[in-house]
């Protein structure tokens, strides 16, 4: 009931058309992946995200049918990933090439993927200077279907870092605009985490990612 309450509090902050991706990685932060995912599926969350393929496989085996993004898809898990209709996060050219090669060998086409853009955290993701090359790979690409293009705000909970959040948004918009220009279809755009849902409604775009806020941890000064 607490999870449902938290979910509804965040839903009230969104426009009706804005989708929600719920983070259920790391055993739903210790809360029990299937139990949480089942509640979220019942309440019509749009997407789930897990850290590793085996987490997604367990959810599928438990009857979860929602789309699931895998944040750290390892090449040795590609067969399990596609068998269970999981959707990989693609964050570098090596993982992109490896996954395309796998799809070719399996005879798969139009497989849904999620592209991570590095807008300033410098952990994982395509940098802005790499986007033209990425766009060239994706143009007229029959192997992949870009389901979403996203990034992560490093300091969305901190008013003192709003200037940096704005820089990140600027980079993100430039990146997805280039990618959209070469694709004949629209993808989902998302960058807002739990704190940004509260503090930056102008950054909600098409979907938001609800993580620790779903589990009752509020990193902003706002009250939920």
């Amino acid at each position: 009931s607490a999870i449902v309450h938290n979910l509804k509090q965040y839903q009230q902050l969104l426009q009706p058309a804005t989708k929600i991706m719920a983070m259920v990685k790391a055993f739903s932060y210790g809360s029990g992946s299937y139990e949480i995912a089942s509640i979220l599926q019942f309440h019509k969350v749009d997407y789930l995200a897990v850290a590793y393929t085996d987490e997604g496989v367990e959810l599928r085996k438990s009857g979860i049918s929602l789309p699931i993004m895998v944040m750290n898809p390892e090449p040795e898990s590609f067969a399990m990933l596609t068998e269970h209709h999981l959707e990989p996060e693609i964050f570098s050219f090596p993982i992109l090439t490896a996954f395309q090669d796998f799809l070719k060998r399996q005879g798969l086409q139009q497989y849904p993927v999620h592209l991570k853009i590095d807008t300033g955290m410098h952990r994982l993701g395509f940098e802005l200077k790499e986007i033209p090359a990425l766009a060239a790979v994706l143009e007229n690409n029959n192997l992949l279907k870009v389901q979403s293009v996203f990034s992560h705000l490093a300091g969305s909970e901190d008013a003192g870092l709003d200037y940096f959040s704005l820089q990140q948004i600027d980079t993100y918009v430039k990146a997805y605009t280039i990618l959209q220009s070469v694709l004949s279809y629209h993808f989902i755009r998302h960058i807002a985490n739990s704190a940004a849902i509260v503090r930056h409604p102008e950054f909600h775009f098409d979907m938001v990612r609800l993580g620790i806020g779903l589990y009752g941890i509020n990193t902003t000064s706002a009250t939920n």
Side-chain angles (χ1 to χ4, degrees), residues 63-84:
I64 300 299
S65 58
L66 284 174
I68 300 175
M69 181 177 80
V70 178
M71 302 178 75
N72 298 286
E74 297 169 331
E76 57 268 26
S77 73
F78 286 166
M80 277 203 311
L81 185 144
T82 54
E83 180 184 348
H84 293 278

Side-chain angles (χ1 to χ4, degrees), residues 62-142:
S62 299
I64 300 299
S65 58
L66 284 174
I68 300 175
M69 181 177 80
V70 178
M71 302 178 75
N72 298 286
E74 297 169 331
E76 57 268 26
S77 73
F78 286 166
M80 277 203 311
L81 185 144
T82 54
E83 180 184 348
H84 293 278
H85 308 290
L86 306 172
E87 303 176 7
E89 171 185 315
I90 303 296
F91 50 79
S92 69
F93 283 110
I95 196 78
L96 173 63
T97 300
F99 192 59
Q100 287 198 118
D101 289 346
F102 172 81
L103 294 176
K104 286 177 188 174
R105 292 196 300 271
Q106 299 299 313
L108 296 173
Q109 290 191 335
Q110 296 293 305
Y111 200 88
V113 299
H114 301 261
L115 303 177
K116 174 93 176 268
I117 309 300
D118 181 357
T119 56
M121 285 192 73
H122 302 304
R123 289 198 302 195
L124 296 174
F126 293 95
E127 296 183 16
L128 185 59
K129 64 185 179 183
E130 298 177 302
I131 299 302
L134 176 61
V137 172
L138 295 172
E139 191 170 12
N140 302 317
N141 189 316
N142 291 322

Side-chain angles (χ1 to χ4, degrees), residues 106-214:
Q106 299 299 313
L108 296 173
Q109 290 191 335
Q110 296 293 305
Y111 200 88
V113 299
H114 301 261
L115 303 177
K116 174 93 176 268
I117 309 300
D118 181 357
T119 56
M121 285 192 73
H122 302 304
R123 289 198 302 195
L124 296 174
F126 293 95
E127 296 183 16
L128 185 59
K129 64 185 179 183
E130 298 177 302
I131 299 302
L134 176 61
V137 172
L138 295 172
E139 191 170 12
N140 302 317
N141 189 316
N142 291 322
L143 295 170
L144 306 173
K145 181 177 187 296
V146 179
Q147 201 70 9
S148 82
V149 174
F150 73 103
S151 190
H152 182 74
L153 294 172
S156 56
E157 72 284 349
D158 187 349
L161 290 176
D162 282 353
Y163 73 96
F164 186 64
S165 294
L166 290 171
Q167 289 176 16
Q168 287 193 269
I169 292 292
D170 183 62
T171 300
Y172 173 63
V173 170
K174 287 175 180 174
Y176 80 61
T177 300
I178 294 169
L179 295 172
Q180 188 64 80
S181 71
V182 302
L183 296 174
S184 60
Y185 54 87
H186 290 283
F187 48 73
I188 299 169
R189 303 164 301 158
H190 53 113
I191 195 170
N193 53 12
S194 296
I197 293 172
V198 178
R199 294 195 63 250
H200 297 293
E202 69 275 23
F203 300 159
H204 287 177
F205 291 104
D206 304 312
M207 183 162 72
V208 297
R209 296 192 305 278
L210 185 53
I212 57 175
L214 183 64

